[in-house]
Amino acid sequence: MTEAQQQGNDDLGAVAAHASMRIPVVAPEDPVDGVIPALRGRRFDSAAVLAVCRGERLVGVLTVERLLAAPQGASVRQVMNPAPTTVAPGAPQERAAWTAVHHAEPALAVVDGDGRFAGIVAPQRLMAVLLAEHDQDLARLGGFLGAASAARRASGERVRLRLWHRLPWLLVGLVGALLSAGVVGAFEAVLERQVLLAFFVPAVVYLADAVGTQTETLIVRGLSVGVPVSWTVARETVTGVLLGVVLAGMALPATWWLWGDAEVAFAVALALLAACAIATLVALALPWLLSRIGVDPAYGSGPLATVIQDLLSVVIYFLTATAIVG
């Protein structure tokens, strides 16, 4: 066994840490009538399942229920399960427990990559793994450990560290604000032809930000409790588009009725639809990207997403207005 394999086996999260060789081992040719007498007077970690081996290789397993129900004169080969469910020594413990439950196995045989028998994970060990994983999940959901450790540290940071973690992102936001002003200035000619367009810049930017912030909050909160972004990306994308449709549908008649300009009303509605949809995608992508590169998304995703969403919203709005109003 290599040093790397030994280190993996010493990991309490691996199956090898729970496998035991102190279990009954029989040969396929052994008569059933002689198995139980041969087990008397010996101590085992578990006798729920007997390993049927030929040399170092596992060829089947035999449960106590099958052993006791076997007819007289039968051999182990005749009553064993020749195709038992097995796991590798380095497999995660939670996967082993899930496999045992899924296949209704009372215990689980461990077999290495060369087919050698490496022990049995007894029923009591499987129960211990399931209980430990259950407690860990509850603790993570409660914010006590796991992915919530960063959140705990952030809550107790000193003022100096809080400034250090937040200020760089806010400086990025300042740069984004200056860029937004430059974008608005680039469309000065459009604003001169239709001053009414300027009235709706804050509304489009705010609503797109609000939709993006809702998505971002859901993603960051999910990441903190171990929920991958892939679980919510499709539904959240559809939700963002539908929110844009609803807001656009409400803004179109209201703007048309209050200001009496159909072109401006259509420009505002279309810009709202596009900006909300894109803000949702930005809010989905940034927390995931920051978490992948090891940056706490709670600090960076908000300011950075706001900068990107604002810039995109302003560009989308004025491009739409230019195309419709001219």
Side-chain angles (χ1 to χ4, degrees):
M1 181 180 294
T2 66
E3 183 178 350
Q5 289 173 324
Q6 182 63 46
Q7 183 177 359
N9 288 349
D10 290 341
D11 181 5
L12 291 179
V15 170
H18 304 281
S20 174
M21 292 292 288
R22 293 185 59 192
I23 50 96
V25 179
V26 295
E29 297 80 13
D30 289 346
V32 168
D33 297 339
V35 170
I36 294 180
L39 299 180
R40 289 196 179 100
R42 301 171 60 190
R43 290 184 177 275
F44 302 101
D45 288 338
S46 174
V49 170
L50 286 70
V52 184
C53 296
R54 180 176 287 112
E56 294 183 343
R57 297 186 176 274
L58 183 78
V59 296
V61 296
L62 177 61
T63 63
V64 170
E65 290 83 2
R66 285 195 177 194
L67 177 63
L68 296 177
Q72 288 187 346
S75 67
V76 169
R77 183 193 306 276
Q78 292 175 298
V79 294
M80 72 178 187
N81 176 9
T85 303
T86 62
V87 292
Q93 61 180 17
E94 61 269 24
R95 184 185 302 170
W98 181 90
T99 300
V101 172
H102 184 72
H103 293 278
E105 298 284 357
L108 207 55
V110 183
V111 177
D112 67 16
D114 296 325
R116 291 190 295 267
F117 176 60
I120 291 286
V121 182
Q124 60 268 29
R125 297 301 299 168
L126 290 173
M127 287 296 295
V129 169
L130 288 173
L131 179 60
E133 292 297 324
H134 174 70
D135 287 345
Q136 187 179 63
D137 289 342
L138 287 180
R140 183 178 292 114
L141 289 171
F144 304 127
L145 51 76
S149 60
R152 296 201 315 273
R153 289 195 302 270
S155 298
E157 282 181 343
R158 296 177 181 274
V159 173
R160 180 176 57 84
L161 286 177
R162 290 172 187 264
L163 290 174
W164 175 256
H165 286 144
R166 297 185 189 183
L167 188 58
W169 298 108
L170 295 175
L171 293 177
V172 173
L174 178 59
V175 173
L178 297 176
L179 290 175
S180 295
V183 171
V184 174
F187 290 94
E188 183 178 356
V190 178
L191 290 173
E192 288 178 352
R193 288 194 300 271
Q194 180 54 273
V195 180
L196 185 59
L197 290 172
F199 297 176
F200 299 98
V201 174
V204 172
V205 171
Y206 165 75
L207 288 173
D209 273 350
V211 171
T213 299
Q214 289 178 332
T215 297
E216 180 190 324
T217 301
L218 288 173
I219 297 303
V220 172
R221 185 169 62 185
L223 288 172
S224 70
V225 295
V227 178
V229 176
S230 58
W231 286 16
T232 56
V233 62
R235 285 171 291 182
E236 198 59 33
T237 301
V238 172
T239 301
V241 173
L242 291 178
L243 286 172
V245 170
V246 172
L247 292 172
M250 297 175 66
L252 176 61
T255 304
W256 195 346
W257 179 65
L258 290 172
W259 281 272
D261 193 313
E263 290 182 339
V264 172
F266 275 103
V268 171
L270 288 176
L272 267 177
L273 172 57
C276 290
I278 292 177
T280 300
L281 295 177
V282 172
L284 283 168
L286 278 179
W288 172 82
L289 180 61
L290 291 174
S291 67
R292 287 298 295 258
I293 63 177
V295 177
D296 189 351
Y299 288 122
S301 58
L304 191 56
T306 300
V307 170
I308 297 174
Q309 289 165 3
D310 287 355
L311 282 171
L312 291 176
S313 297
V314 171
V315 171
I316 289 169
Y317 176 60
F318 280 110
L319 288 176
T320 304
T322 302
I324 295 177
V325 178

